[in-house]
Amino acid sequence: MDIDARIKRRQRRDEGPRLIQDYESLSPVAHIDEPSDRGPVFERLLDHLDPVFDGVLPPNAYVHGDFGSGKSAIVTALFTHLQRLSTDPRSIIHTSTRAASPTTPGFVYLDTRTTTSEFAFYHAVLDDLVDNSVPEHGISTEELRERLHAILGESRNGVVVAVDHVGEPNSIDTAGLIDLFAGLPSNVSWLAIGRTPPDRTGLTTYTATSINIAPYQRQMLVDVLMTRASEGLTQRALDHDLARRIADWADGNAHSALAALFIAADRADRADRTRLSEADVDAAIGEIPDSSVSLAQVLSLPVNKQLVLRRLVDLDDDERASVSATTETVSADVDLSVGTVKRFLYEMAETGIVERVQAENNNGKGRPPSRVELRFPPTAFRRLYDLRQ
């Protein structure tokens, strides 16, 4: 937490006891600047990137690990620091004469959850390399690629591009991503990050090494929870026993652990308490599906799909007894047609955001209807969605 945030916490003392001091620090979709207890992983990544400190590009690499192992948190934190240390190449595009080349390569981070097309890919890379925002309209994909080649042609040391969440539903497939990499200038190397084991992705055909990020050990996860609680909650709101309870249940998955903390804190806060209880933690754990998807993945969906989900999480059991009942109720509240809502639900079922479960047929006639079940914790999504509005 930065100094301004700490000052604001002190300023809020006159408002009386308040459990949640900062939702962002608690959020399971937010990455902190210094991930806890991950020094060895940073060292392995820095070993791979070591050539950049001599002004040379490293080879391509693939970073892999299970859901919740902290891949995104580690890579985004590392690239943020490296971006600060590298000489900014963006001035090149704005000078009439050739500028001096940067002393080290630049660094760009992309998320395939929000970069889902060829145009979006090259736009995101280019936009990160220039001072002024690149227009999203009135420019073709080919023009973007030409400008990117022109800019990096002025930079002897090039750029390292980290491409996160590869291989996930709704993202660019492996073959498409390889084609996009091939369209980048020769002085670009890439770091792909995903969950798929190296022997099951075609990306490793084009990499020199693979770097595994193992799940969190229990004590590491306890430290993560206590750190987030110290930044986002009032003092002594979370004791170590409850943090250990969450860490044991999460079994190395930091996303699940942070989601449980977030939900438990929200539950306690709504009850006007200043400490989390065992009941809060148990209720939070019980709300998270066994095969939960990332909340960041849910929150990266198009606006209208998130709107449908926001209404869906408030429906009672009767309103979710069948897909038909669900679509009719939701469409009446979100100003979308029944057909559109149903299509959205089917598309989100295909990508694992929701699940269509066959309902019990009590009358024994005909095919039982299917109902919609969530594959993410509703309380966490509801609060995170509302905070963004």
Side-chain angles (χ1 to χ4, degrees):
M1 180 184 293
D2 61 26
I3 295 174
D4 287 340
R6 293 182 183 276
I7 291 172
K8 288 179 181 178
R9 286 184 63 175
R10 302 280 177 161
Q11 290 175 329
R12 286 197 292 260
R13 287 188 306 187
D14 293 338
E15 298 176 5
R18 181 179 175 184
L19 173 62
I20 298 178
Q21 301 289 317
D22 180 26
Y23 274 104
E24 185 69 14
S25 296
L26 291 177
S27 172
V29 303
H31 301 313
I32 60 176
D33 194 44
E34 298 283 352
S36 303
D37 297 327
R38 299 304 259 177
V41 179
F42 279 110
E43 287 298 324
R44 291 205 302 276
L45 286 169
L46 284 170
D47 285 343
H48 169 71
L49 295 170
D50 191 66
V52 304
F53 301 106
D54 293 321
V56 179
L57 282 174
N60 302 328
Y62 179 59
V63 178
H64 62 100
D66 294 339
F67 173 38
S69 59
K71 302 180 297 298
S72 298
I74 291 165
V75 173
T76 53
L78 180 58
F79 268 55
T80 297
H81 283 274
L82 289 171
Q83 284 169 341
R84 294 171 187 164
L85 293 173
S86 65
T87 300
D88 191 350
R90 293 179 291 182
S91 61
I92 294 170
I93 194 173
H94 299 295
T95 58
S96 57
T97 58
R98 181 167 178 153
S101 297
T103 57
T104 62
F107 296 88
V108 173
Y109 171 87
L110 302 182
D111 187 347
T112 60
R113 287 172 175 164
T114 54
T115 309
T116 57
S117 67
E118 182 181 13
F119 178 89
F121 181 88
Y122 291 121
H123 183 280
V125 176
L126 182 60
D127 197 52
D128 211 42
L129 293 175
V130 297
D131 287 324
N132 298 324
S133 295
V134 179
E136 296 185 4
H137 305 286
I139 185 171
S140 68
T141 301
E142 185 59 32
E143 287 175 305
L144 287 174
R145 191 161 47 235
E146 289 175 357
R147 288 183 62 184
L148 184 58
H149 277 258
I151 292 169
L152 289 176
E154 299 274 347
S155 171
R156 184 180 67 243
N157 297 306
V159 173
V160 182
V161 179
V163 183
D164 202 356
H165 303 118
V166 300
E168 291 192 3
N170 288 332
S171 68
I172 305 168
D173 62 25
T174 299
L177 196 56
I178 291 170
D179 287 343
L180 292 177
F181 287 148
L184 291 170
S186 59
N187 58 344
V188 175
S189 72
W190 48 265
L191 190 74
I193 305 107
R195 301 178 194 172
T196 307
D199 59 352
R200 292 172 54 191
T201 176
L203 288 171
T204 52
T205 304
Y206 305 90
T207 60
T209 187
S210 295
I211 302 169
N212 176 247
I213 297 183
Y216 281 84
Q217 296 178 5
R218 189 188 77 156
Q219 189 52 50
M220 289 182 182
L221 212 43
V222 171
D223 291 343
V224 169
L225 292 167
M226 296 305 297
T227 298
R228 292 292 192 104
S230 70
E231 295 179 349
L233 300 177
T234 191
Q235 294 182 7
R236 295 181 293 277
L238 176 70
D239 63 45
H240 274 84
D241 286 342
L242 289 180
R244 283 190 289 269
R245 164 86 172 93
I246 295 173
D248 286 340
W249 164 80
D251 193 26
N253 187 322
H255 178 276
S256 294
L258 290 171
L261 174 62
F262 187 89
I263 296 166
D266 184 74
R267 185 178 189 269
D269 188 63
R270 284 185 285 109
D272 292 325
R273 288 184 274 107
T274 56
R275 290 178 65 88
L276 275 64
S277 69
E278 186 174 351
D280 295 325
V281 170
D282 289 343
I285 289 173
E287 184 181 312
I288 301 174
D290 291 337
S291 55
S292 179
V293 298
S294 167
L295 284 160
Q297 183 180 345
V298 181
L299 290 163
S300 68
L301 291 170
V303 173
N304 278 343
K305 286 187 176 180
Q306 289 191 51
L307 185 62
V308 168
L309 291 177
R310 178 61 185 87
R311 181 65 184 96
L312 182 61
V313 298
D314 286 342
L315 299 186
D316 58 32
D317 290 341
D318 289 340
E319 292 170 319
R320 288 199 291 125
S322 68
V323 173
S324 296
T326 300
T327 54
E328 289 176 5
T329 303
V330 171
S331 64
D333 291 338
V334 299
D335 197 25
L336 294 170
S337 70
V338 170
T340 298
V341 172
K342 182 174 288 188
R343 175 170 59 84
F344 283 173
L345 291 176
Y346 283 175
E347 289 174 352
M348 289 188 285
E350 290 177 359
T351 56
I353 301 296
V354 299
E355 184 177 7
R356 292 172 59 197
V357 178
Q358 185 172 292
E360 295 181 3
N361 187 2
N362 296 324
N363 57 26
K365 297 179 181 179
R367 183 179 178 180
S370 59
R371 68 180 188 275
V372 178
E373 295 291 342
L374 306 174
R375 289 194 59 202
F376 56 89
T379 295
F381 170 74
R382 181 188 296 112
R383 178 62 69 186
L384 290 169
Y385 178 92
D386 290 350
L387 287 169
R388 293 185 176 195
Q389 302 312 301

